[in-house]
Amino acid sequence: MVAHFDRRLRKAAVTTTVAALAVAALSASQAPDVTADGNGRQTTADNVPASETPAAESATGNSPYYTDLPPLNSPKPAPTAGTPTSPGTSEAGIPATVLDAYKKAESELRLSKPGCNLPWQLLAAIGKVESGQARGGRVDANGTTIGRIIGPQLDGNGFALIQDTDNGVYDGNSKYDNAVGPMQFIPSTWAWAGRDGNGDGKADPNNVYDAALAAGHYLCRNGWDLSVQADLNRAILSYNNSQDYLNTVLSWLEHYRKGTHEIPDGTGSLPVGRSDDPGAGASPSPGGTGAYPSSQAPATPGPKPSPSKPPAPGKPGNSGGPSTKPPTDPAPPTGSPTPSPTPTDTVHHLENAGTTGLTATAGDTFAEKISTRAETTAGAAVGKVRIRFTVLGDTDATFTGGEKVAAVTTNASGVAVAPALVAGEQTGEFTVRATVIGRTVPGLDYRATVTERVADTLTRTTATELTCTPGGEFADPVGVKATLKGAVADKVAVTATLIKSEADPAENDKGPYFKDADGKAVRTLTGLKTGADGLLELPKLYADDAEGSYVLRLTTPGGAQLDITLKVAKAAEPTPDPSTEPSTQPAA
């Protein structure tokens, strides 16, 4: 990584003039009102708050952020999940696990707060300016950063003044607070905004899944609709209260909306400009691996964090001789040998681990779960690899919890088992694709089928004879109940057809009929469905002038059939009352 920074600095030194022109053009075209110097950094004087919101009420405490603007050239469109990634620079790409965390957070917010309309690209934009996408995707298989990302202490010396609120649990500083993690939450905000995004039972600001979900909920509070520009601006400013911050985030948001591509974890590059650094050509110091230069992160580590039990905000530190500055990760030794390959690096292909058939009735949970095995070139199992399962195609089926995407780590046998699939109401086939997070290998597709709800029996709910006079209408509605093996069959499709006879199922051309929306006669109805109690009441029936007996046939998927007799006849003549008839006998 150090060598990577050095190459970027050398490149910047050679192309300073070109960079200055490019940034100027980008400032004008992609981020109105952003002031940038020749190296793509905003000047400190321009980084002024946009309102009077106190720093402690923002997610980050208005901590410093990366100010680099997006590349002038838009990235190529994002590929379909599971296909080889698009080519492009590491600056424009997003590390695989980090990207997965953003999309997973969007999926959950779409269910829990649908009115917010949170796009994952907004989380990516904020993650870019806050930590350079978790320091270029330096995360482990569970999404936790390799080493903590700690911002400068907020001691009022060039930053906001925020006294310690967590006894140093998250930031290792028991005197002042520091922003923490890939989304740079201050401890007092994390105490209420923190979420468990990866399902491990704890909320950790250093985990990109937890931090991304927390950021999503934070941006979706106050009833904001992020598809409305005014609400979007308010939400971003509430994260870091600076007009320049707003413009920078909006620039990356627009950039990612045009398309991006996935890159392997750990291969992303860090930005070089920061809002509190007026110097030119700044980059993270080789002596530190945090999100900020090591000059602001002394080597003495603080207490080991325990994110699952955050202390009450405002509780003062009481340990003797506390460290007043955050910890930093140890500096990587110079001339380090090439690192050993990670388990993900050794994956050559994916194999079906025994999934044989995926079929479920609409609304039901699939009985079988999808199992995928990660293997090396020689066919050996690879454990501790994250597999992404994605529901593709025109379907409303989801995994348990309502999500279209799930990430699972392979076990010692190299097998990852996806959460149970839940069929929606839409029938037909769809695909679930398994891919390796952080590595470009061909995806493995599983075909799944959702079939119609079925019933094996239909019965009338009343025994009333259904009669009508020619040209009239039937007074009593037709009501039926559908069951399957004696249990209520809800949401079952029913087709009603007026047929010629029990022996001839062709549609009749005379006799009783239904009416369509325009009032025209129709003798076949489709799209009818039983309710939650299995009951269905048909629309009103009418009769033409043809007298006789007719048959209404009801059918369902699953083989249920019911024939109902309808009679059309003139009303019977009233029987005379002898007592009222005039006498025909002669008078005596």
Side-chain angles (χ1 to χ4, degrees):
M1 185 67 74
V2 172
H4 184 69
F5 291 149
D6 291 342
R7 287 195 299 272
R8 293 195 60 177
L9 288 174
R10 288 197 298 270
K11 182 179 178 181
V14 175
T15 60
T16 302
T17 303
V18 175
L21 294 175
V23 171
L26 185 61
S27 298
S29 63
Q30 291 186 314
D33 301 326
V34 172
T35 302
D37 66 11
N39 292 290
R41 298 183 311 276
Q42 295 162 302
T43 60
T44 305
D46 293 320
N47 189 28
V48 294
S51 71
E52 298 304 318
T53 303
E57 295 181 11
S58 72
T60 67
N62 297 335
S63 293
Y65 56 91
Y66 287 119
T67 62
D68 295 35
L69 295 174
L72 285 174
N73 295 325
S74 297
K76 295 185 178 182
T80 302
T83 60
T85 57
S86 302
T89 64
S90 58
E91 287 86 349
I94 300 177
T97 299
V98 180
L99 179 60
D100 186 59
Y102 296 150
K103 291 185 175 182
K104 192 172 189 295
E106 179 200 53
S107 178
E108 181 163 331
L109 266 298
R110 192 184 300 121
L111 292 173
S112 61
K113 296 182 180 179
C116 176
N117 295 306
L118 171 78
W120 67 262
Q121 293 90 341
L122 176 58
L123 297 176
I126 290 176
K128 179 69 174 181
V129 302
E130 292 295 348
S131 68
Q133 309 298 18
R135 296 182 299 195
R138 290 186 65 226
V139 296
D140 64 17
N142 294 317
T144 301
T145 59
I146 300 173
R148 289 185 292 175
I149 303 175
I150 306 291
Q153 66 178 10
L154 301 175
D155 58 3
N157 184 20
F159 309 108
L161 174 60
I162 303 180
Q163 301 288 343
D164 173 64
T165 61
D166 67 331
N167 277 339
V169 169
Y170 294 129
D171 55 16
N173 189 342
S174 58
K175 187 173 183 180
Y176 300 102
D177 270 348
N178 306 68
V180 180
M183 301 302 276
Q184 289 291 278
F185 279 96
I186 55 174
S188 58
T189 302
W190 185 260
W192 61 266
R195 295 292 193 280
D196 176 16
N198 64 349
D200 64 356
K202 62 181 180 181
D204 181 1
N206 302 294
N207 182 278
V208 69
Y209 287 95
D210 296 359
L213 183 58
H217 278 281
Y218 184 89
L219 294 164
C220 285
R221 70 197 194 287
N222 297 331
W224 285 329
D225 179 356
L226 301 185
S227 65
V228 176
Q229 189 64 46
D231 281 358
L232 175 63
N233 292 351
R234 292 185 188 98
I236 296 172
L237 286 170
S238 77
Y239 210 91
N240 193 314
N241 190 33
S242 160
Q243 186 64 41
D244 286 344
Y245 180 86
L246 170 66
N247 292 329
T248 305
V249 170
L250 290 177
S251 295
W252 282 104
L253 171 59
E254 178 65 17
H255 179 73
Y256 289 137
R257 276 176 167 165
K258 290 178 180 177
T260 186
H261 59 277
E262 179 183 291
I263 61 176
D265 290 344
T267 64
S269 59
L270 281 176
V272 295
R274 221 180 69 194
S275 60
D276 67 327
D277 180 12
S283 70
S285 167
T289 58
Y292 300 96
S294 59
S295 60
Q296 294 181 352
T300 303
K304 185 176 180 180
S306 302
S308 59
K309 296 181 180 180
K315 185 176 180 179
N318 53 13
S319 59
S323 171
T324 60
K325 293 186 179 180
T328 184
D329 302 323
T334 58
S336 299
T338 302
S340 300
T342 65
T344 300
D345 294 331
T346 67
V347 177
H348 176 263
H349 60 272
L350 296 176
E351 289 288 342
N352 187 333
T355 305
T356 56
L358 294 168
T359 302
T361 303
D364 289 350
T365 299
F366 284 75
E368 186 175 6
K369 294 182 179 180
I370 297 174
S371 297
T372 299
R373 176 180 159 98
E375 297 184 355
T376 64
T377 305
V382 185
K384 298 183 179 180
V385 173
R386 288 182 67 78
I387 304 297
R388 179 190 296 130
F389 297 94
T390 306
V391 177
L392 303 173
D394 184 15
T395 180
D396 55 353
T398 64
F399 293 111
T400 302
E403 297 184 355
K404 294 274 190 179
V405 179
V408 181
T409 302
T410 58
N411 59 22
S413 300
V415 175
V417 180
L421 274 170
V422 179
E425 294 302 319
Q426 189 169 339
T427 59
E429 290 189 345
F430 64 94
T431 299
V432 177
R433 179 168 295 162
T435 56
V436 180
I437 296 176
R439 184 165 175 80
T440 303
V441 298
L444 183 60
D445 287 351
Y446 298 81
R447 302 295 294 176
T449 303
V450 178
T451 60
E452 293 183 286
R453 294 172 183 259
V454 298
D456 55 18
T457 306
L458 283 172
T459 57
R460 282 194 64 191
T461 54
T462 63
T464 306
E465 185 179 37
L466 298 168
T467 61
C468 179
T469 58
E473 58 184 54
F474 288 82
D476 297 314
V478 177
V480 296
K481 182 176 182 178
T483 56
L484 177 64
K485 297 179 180 179
V488 166
D490 64 322
K491 299 181 182 179
V492 173
V494 177
T495 298
T497 306
L498 290 148
I499 60 177
K500 290 186 176 182
S501 69
E502 292 183 358
D504 185 356
E507 181 182 283
N508 211 334
D509 56 0
K510 63 180 180 179
Y513 61 89
F514 300 103
K515 287 184 179 180
D516 64 13
D518 297 325
K520 295 180 180 179
V522 293
R523 291 186 167 87
T524 298
L525 290 181
T526 59
L528 304 172
K529 284 193 175 183
T530 61
D533 51 5
L535 299 177
L536 171 66
E537 184 175 292
L538 272 62
K540 183 180 288 293
L541 277 162
Y542 302 86
D544 59 16
D545 294 333
E547 297 185 63
S549 292
Y550 300 91
V551 177
L552 170 64
R553 175 165 289 176
L554 305 178
T555 58
T556 73
Q561 177 178 305
L562 176 64
D563 289 344
I564 300 173
T565 300
L566 306 175
K567 292 183 179 180
V568 179
K570 293 181 180 178
E573 294 291 338
T575 303
D577 186 351
S579 64
T580 62
E581 290 293 321
S583 176
T584 58
Q585 299 295 324

